[in-house]
Amino acid sequence: YKGSDDIWDYMAVTGAIYFTGAFAVLLGGLYWSKASSTGAVLAILSGCTAVFGLTPVQDAFKLDIPSARVGLITIGISLFLFFVGSLLFPDKQPPQNAIETQEINP
């Protein structure tokens, strides 16, 4: 059996779906103090846009974009949604110590 290049495209897109969102979450979660769980979820979900790198999907939407470019665009979308989602929907911070807890809940 001799496979075609489509097999490698499917494998690359499958990895890109998870990698692009995880890259944004890892980068933002480690190095940005305002990162939120909403931004992380949006980044991971945006990895699904990597599906546009597949030839059948491009044919269905009448697109002609190289798969590598679709992967880079997907990384950009993931980073953008991570930062915008984190800014618009910040996580609520719990009290830092017991004194603050007693002042809030007597």
Side-chain angles (χ1 to χ4, degrees), residues 65-89:
I65 305 170
S67 296
R69 189 169 294 164
V70 171
L72 291 174
I73 292 169
T74 302
I75 290 173
I77 291 170
S78 294
L79 288 169
F80 176 76
L81 288 178
F82 178 79
F83 290 115
V84 169
S86 293
L87 289 174
L88 293 178
F89 303 101

Side-chain angles (χ1 to χ4, degrees), residues 8-67:
W8 292 109
D9 285 344
Y10 282 104
M11 290 177 62
V13 167
T14 302
I17 288 172
Y18 300 108
F19 169 74
T20 54
F23 176 75
V25 171
L26 184 66
L27 184 70
L30 285 176
Y31 298 112
W32 194 41
S33 61
K34 294 183 181 183
S36 74
S37 58
T38 303
V41 169
L42 289 175
I44 290 173
L45 291 176
S46 69
C48 292
T49 59
V51 172
F52 286 102
L54 295 174
T55 304
V57 176
Q58 285 194 9
D59 290 343
F61 285 96
K62 296 180 179 30
L63 299 173
D64 187 25
I65 305 170
S67 296

Side-chain angles (χ1 to χ4, degrees), residues 33-35 90-96 104:
S33 61
K34 294 183 181 183
D91 288 338
K92 294 181 181 179
Q93 297 295 326
Q96 297 297 322
I104 294 172

